[in-house]
Amino acid sequence: MSGNLTPTGRDATRRDWFALALLCSAFLVVVLGSTIVFAAAPMMAAELGFADDTIQWIFAAAALPAGGLLILGGRLADILGRRRMFMTGTLLFTVSSTMAGFAWSDIALIAARILQGSSVALLTPAALALVSTVFTSEQKRNKALGIWSMIGGVGATVGLLVGGVASEALGWRSIFFLNVPIGIGTLVVAPLVISADRRSESSVPGSRLDFAGRLPSRALCCRLSMWSLKGLRSAGRAPRLSD
C-alpha cells in the first residue's frame, strides 16, 4: 500500500471493495454516456443546427477515438501507471463533459465528443487493469470481474432509458453535466482507495510506445467502431452513417 498507512486484514479488504465500487462507478458513467446520447440526439441536432448528413458525428466523434485508441490506452497504463492513467482519463472525461454541456455549435459538440471518446480509451483499460490487480485472491478477483461485467450490461440498458427521461425533464445538456460531479468525486477519492503503481509494475526498462507498429490495430479498432454504429443504425437506434 502507498503512503504511511498500511491497512491489514479487514481494513485492507474494505479498502479493496471501496476501490472496486469507485472503478465500477466510473465504468458505469462511461457506459451510460455511450448510450444515453442516442435518446437526446434529436434535441441536440435541433438546437445546435446539425444537418441530416452530420448528425451521425454526435456518435462517431466519440466512438471512433474510444475504439481506435483503446489499445494505446492500455499500453500507456502499463508504462505510465494504471492509477495515473485512470485519473488522467477521468479528468479528461470530466472536462469534455463540461465542454459538451456548454457546446454552442455543432462543431463545438463534436470537438467535445472527440475528447470524450479519447478519455474513455485512457480510462477504461486502466480501470479494468486496476480491478484485476487490486484483488490478489483469485476468488475475489473473479467476483470483482463478474461485477464489472454486470455493470457494463446494466449500464448499456439503463442508458437508453435514462437518456430520454433526463433530456425531456432537464434538457439534453444535463446528460453531460451530470458527469461532472461524479468525475470530480472520483478524482478526490481515487488516491485514497487505490494505491499508486510500484515502479516495477508500471515502468519496465526499455519500454516504449511503438506507434508505427500499432497503426494497423488502431485502424481495425476504428473500423470496428464504425461497423458497430452501422449495426445500431440497422436496429433503428442511430442515424445513418455513410460508407
Side-chain angles (χ1 to χ4, degrees), residues 125-167:
L128 181 56
L130 285 169
V131 171
S132 300
T133 56
V134 163
F135 295 93
T136 56
S137 165
E138 183 177 355
Q139 182 179 3
K140 291 182 179 179
R141 185 187 302 118
N142 291 339
K143 183 177 181 180
L145 291 173
I147 294 173
W148 173 276
S149 300
M150 180 187 68
I151 290 294
V154 171
T157 302
V158 173
L160 294 172
L161 301 175
V162 173
V165 175
S167 58

Side-chain angles (χ1 to χ4, degrees), residues 1 17 43 51 73 104 147 157 160 182 184 188-189 199 229 235:
M1 296 293 178
W17 290 111
M43 298 177 66
W104 61 90
I147 294 173
T157 302
L160 294 172
I182 298 175
I184 294 174
V188 172
V189 176
R199 185 172 181 81
L229 287 170

Side-chain angles (χ1 to χ4, degrees), residues 15 31 52 88 108 111 116 130 141 147 166 168 179 210:
R15 177 172 173 171
V31 175
D52 291 341
T88 300
Q116 196 169 49
L130 285 169
R141 185 187 302 118
I147 294 173
E168 286 291 338
N179 296 333
D210 182 11

Side-chain angles (χ1 to χ4, degrees), residues 6 8 13 33 48 51 53 64 79 90 100 104 113 130 138 148-149 154 169 194 200-201 207-208 220 229 238:
T6 56
T8 57
T13 299
L48 299 179
D53 59 347
L64 293 179
I79 295 174
T90 301
W104 61 90
R113 292 285 287 163
L130 285 169
E138 183 177 355
W148 173 276
S149 300
V154 171
I194 302 174
S200 59
E201 291 178 338
S207 294
R208 62 185 181 87
L220 176 59
L229 287 170

Side-chain angles (χ1 to χ4, degrees), residues 54-75:
T54 60
I55 189 175
Q56 61 184 314
W57 288 105
I58 295 176
F59 313 96
L64 293 179
L69 300 176
L70 195 64
I71 296 175
L72 175 61
R75 184 59 178 156

